[in-house]
Amino acid sequence: MSCLFCKIVEGKIPSTAVYQDEFLYAFADVNPQAPVHVLIVPREHIASLSDANEKNRELLGHLLLAAAKIARDKDLAKGYRIVVNTGEDGGQSVEHLHLHLLGGRQLSWPPG
Ligand code: 5GP
Ligand code: ZN
């Protein structure tokens, strides 16, 4: 498996862990776009949100709830943004489903 995030999940490529459990691994983005920029990835390889299916229903909810927990732990009471870039037009560059948790500054809308 040549997937970058699978290698990070397996510890074959170093990363800065933020949170982890049986189903997911969360780590600091190497190129942060905000004071807090955490990537939340399922341990299971799912290429993108478009590749998720009904079997992944609980996992998808778990990823979102973990994002909210990490946001609380990071004191993002003023707010934050969860982003799931999907596919070419969505700007997805790593083909392993991941949530971006961005916070710690006022974020603009719409995104580019
Ligand atoms: P995407 O563009 O697919 O939505 O997001 C991929 C994210 O992965 C980018 O924000 C990028 O900075 C991050 N990233 C890419 N390679 C690495 C890496 O080797 N380590 C870490 N921690 N983040 C990475
Ligand atoms: Zn993967």
Side-chain angles (χ1 to χ4, degrees):
M1 174 65 79
S2 61
C3 170
L4 174 67
F5 285 177
C6 280
K7 286 180 182 157
I8 287 178
V9 164
E10 291 162 12
K12 290 178 182 158
I13 291 175
S15 61
T16 303
V18 173
Y19 175 79
Q20 56 188 307
D21 64 24
E22 186 183 347
F23 302 105
L24 64 83
Y25 181 61
F27 55 101
D29 196 295
V30 77
N31 182 23
Q33 302 300 311
V36 174
H37 189 171
V38 177
L39 299 172
I40 301 153
V41 314
R43 291 189 182 276
E44 175 188 350
H45 179 87
I46 299 168
S48 81
L49 187 60
S50 296
D51 295 284
N53 59 44
E54 200 56 40
K55 279 185 267 174
N56 306 125
R57 173 186 287 267
E58 264 192 63
L59 175 65
L60 293 172
H62 188 70
L63 293 170
L64 271 178
L65 289 173
K69 177 192 162 28
I70 295 166
R72 279 193 298 277
D73 292 347
K74 295 279 185 187
D75 294 323
L76 297 179
K78 280 184 79 183
Y80 54 88
R81 186 171 295 165
I82 305 299
V83 175
V84 185
N85 294 328
T86 304
E88 189 181 345
D89 276 5
Q92 182 177 5
S93 64
V94 178
E95 292 195 359
H96 180 131
L97 173 64
H98 51 282
L99 277 59
H100 295 257
L101 166 63
L102 296 150
R105 68 171 171 83
Q106 178 66 60
L107 298 164
S108 59
W109 190 265

